[in-house]
Amino acid sequence: MCTFQSKRPRLFASSSVNLLGIETSCDESSVAIVKNGTKPIAEATASQVKLMAKYGGVVPELSARKHLEALPILFEECKSQSGGVFNRLSAIAVTNNPGLPPALATGRAFAEGVAFGLELPLVEVNHLDAHLCSVLLEDDPPKDAPKNFQNRVFFPHVALLVSGGHTGIFLSKAPMRHELIGSTRDDAAGEAFDKVARMLGFKYPGGPEISRWADVAFAIPKKSWRLKVNPFTLPLADELFDFSFSGLKTAVRRLIVSLSTDEKNKVPKDIEIEKLGCALPTSLRAEIAYYFQETVTDSLVGKALNAETKFKTGLITLTGGVAANKRLREKLSSFTAKAGIKIKYPNLNRCTDNATMVASAGYFILLNQSQK
Ligand code: KG4
Ligand code: ZN
């Protein structure tokens, strides 16, 4: 939705349309400038992750306060990085939903102020649309990009979006034209990573921690592992496109309780799960992290491949915070390569929340409006 009347109505008459994006949906404050929806010009991001780790998760009011402090500084930084492009902005884009309401409201108020001050239109961007646009950005391919990495995406393609709040598969037909074909029936994958990490006594955010501990387990010879086979079953192992992660989370909980039960089958009195998890030997917690990550990534990759088998687009894209997961990237790369399918995911800094993808989505919203 465009909420301010543009003082420069013929936006697309110019060969370069620069948008300033603002992102504050969760615990990253970010400001960025993007040219023509794909070319990153400037970006400044401040993460609250270290602060929120002290609380074991995001505290919405505190997050909003931190956004308020960070945004003016990031805005100035972005302005000076932009080498004059700031003076040729066409619109301001801001994340409007979904996200933490106090955090979103802060970004929105700041964006309104900037749009009003610069006499530019304000475009509201859905956070999921922004993640889906992150693969359209013309970044250099990651250094470890596999052979079947497709730097310039084409349409239609299958888009797997995996974040802390959402997990879904889309048939992406054009920028900002996505048909949802599968989604989680309960928890998002990132949420499951975070909750399981907490049960095992790992730090917030759980995704990177689970990944780190899974690597620790992987480095230990399997013969000395206590859990010789994967104790978890693949959720919704069917030919369709929906996910479910809450049963897996419960299975982790049950496993922790059973591993904490002594030889006389005495269920521990203190069944506060985090305490039980923390009390398990480190190597065993690492093994659980490993198997959990294997199961989640098998599910994600399996469903994306199901979708590709049906729609035969030739390309699968991977976006959202969980797209930063090394094992997920590896698995998706190897299965797609075997099947002759291309793959695209953003650089690590564009997987988690950032304003560059918001500015990109804002551009395509305006472009679509101008073509109606
Ligand atoms: O997209 P994002 O930054 O925020 C939301 O829109 O939710 O995603 C955050 C999620 C968190 O659940 C975090 O644990 C997860 O992404 N995440 C990861 C990794 N890095 C971040 N999950 C698995 N492996 C990672 N390396
Ligand atoms: Zn996100």
Side-chain angles (χ1 to χ4, degrees):
M1 186 167 79
C2 206
T3 53
F4 284 82
Q5 264 312 309
S6 172
K7 297 273 165 68
R8 301 170 198 179
R10 293 176 64 234
L11 217 57
F12 291 90
S14 155
S15 62
S16 65
V17 177
N18 305 303
L19 261 78
L20 181 126
I22 294 169
E23 158 62 33
T24 60
S25 65
C26 192
D27 54 358
E28 320 283 346
S29 321
S30 185
V31 181
I33 297 175
V34 173
K35 178 179 159 186
N36 293 343
T38 58
K39 191 160 178 31
I41 302 290
E43 182 184 270
T45 300
S47 177
Q48 303 169 0
V49 159
K50 275 201 184 129
L51 173 68
M52 298 307 171
K54 288 189 200 152
Y55 302 91
V58 186
V59 182
E61 299 299 339
L62 179 59
S63 170
R65 243 188 3 253
K66 291 288 154 192
H67 287 311
L68 196 60
E69 285 169 18
L71 285 174
I73 300 163
L74 299 172
F75 177 79
E76 287 304 324
E77 198 179 318
C78 200
K79 186 173 166 182
S80 64
Q81 266 181 36
S82 80
V85 176
F86 178 84
N87 300 321
R88 300 191 299 279
L89 288 175
S90 301
I92 309 298
V94 65
T95 309
N96 72 337
N97 216 10
L100 303 171
L104 287 168
T106 309
R108 164 81 200 207
F110 186 80
E112 277 181 12
V114 173
F116 185 75
L118 298 177
E119 299 189 358
L120 291 171
L122 180 67
V123 193
E124 293 179 334
V125 170
N126 177 286
H127 186 63
L128 307 185
D129 283 334
H131 272 301
L132 288 166
C133 279
S134 62
V135 282
L136 303 178
L137 295 163
E138 289 165 14
D139 284 314
D140 290 335
K143 284 196 183 71
D144 57 350
K147 280 213 176 86
N148 62 333
F149 193 83
Q150 172 74 25
N151 212 25
R152 243 191 139 87
V153 304
F154 53 81
F155 298 92
H157 65 253
V158 168
L160 173 60
L161 166 57
V162 203
S163 73
H166 299 85
T167 300
I169 301 185
F170 300 80
L171 182 63
S172 195
K173 296 175 178 171
M176 304 301 297
R177 272 189 56 217
H178 316 287
E179 185 190 325
L180 182 68
I181 55 174
S183 59
T184 180
R185 296 189 183 168
D186 37 60
D187 292 354
E191 188 183 353
F193 266 102
D194 293 338
K195 287 180 179 164
V196 164
R198 190 192 282 228
M199 285 188 223
L200 291 169
F202 300 149
K203 282 191 317 224
Y204 171 85
E209 281 295 287
I210 294 267
S211 173
R212 198 164 67 81
W213 284 100
D215 282 351
V216 169
F218 190 71
I220 300 169
K222 207 86 185 242
K223 62 176 182 326
S224 49
W225 284 34
R226 178 140 164 218
L227 304 170
K228 303 285 184 216
V229 290
N230 190 341
F232 308 123
T233 46
L234 198 61
L236 294 184
D238 54 28
E239 304 295 307
L240 298 172
F241 319 122
D242 278 355
F243 305 93
S244 166
F245 297 110
S246 100
L248 184 54
K249 201 181 59 191
T250 309
V252 174
R253 173 183 288 271
R254 285 213 191 98
L255 181 66
I256 293 174
V257 172
S258 81
L259 290 168
S260 312
T261 304
D262 67 19
E263 297 81 46
K264 291 176 198 143
N265 279 331
K266 267 197 176 161
V267 177
K269 277 199 203 88
D270 182 3
I271 55 164
E272 205 178 308
I273 198 70
E274 288 87 0
K275 285 194 188 149
L276 293 185
C278 271
L280 294 176
T282 309
S283 58
L284 189 51
R285 290 153 71 202
E287 289 172 33
I288 299 172
Y290 173 88
Y291 285 123
F292 169 78
Q293 178 175 267
E294 286 303 298
T295 311
V296 173
T297 51
D298 279 347
S299 171
L300 294 170
V301 171
K303 299 295 173 154
L305 290 172
N306 284 352
E308 178 54 27
T309 303
K310 171 151 187 210
F311 295 102
K312 298 190 177 26
T313 68
L315 171 66
I316 299 178
T317 63
L318 172 65
T319 54
V322 183
N325 186 272
K326 192 167 55 113
R327 187 71 180 126
L328 177 59
R329 288 172 176 232
E330 274 169 16
K331 262 188 201 170
L332 192 61
S333 310
S334 106
F335 281 99
T336 49
K338 274 184 213 144
I341 303 161
K342 301 277 189 192
I343 180 183
K344 169 92 195 256
Y345 43 71
N347 280 323
L348 289 179
N349 60 331
R350 307 246 196 269
C351 290
T352 42
D353 297 340
N354 64 87
T356 304
M357 64 185 192
V358 177
S360 169
Y363 170 89
F364 288 107
I365 291 172
L366 290 178
L367 184 64
N368 288 348
Q369 282 173 1
S370 76
Q371 289 169 344
K372 273 186 188 150

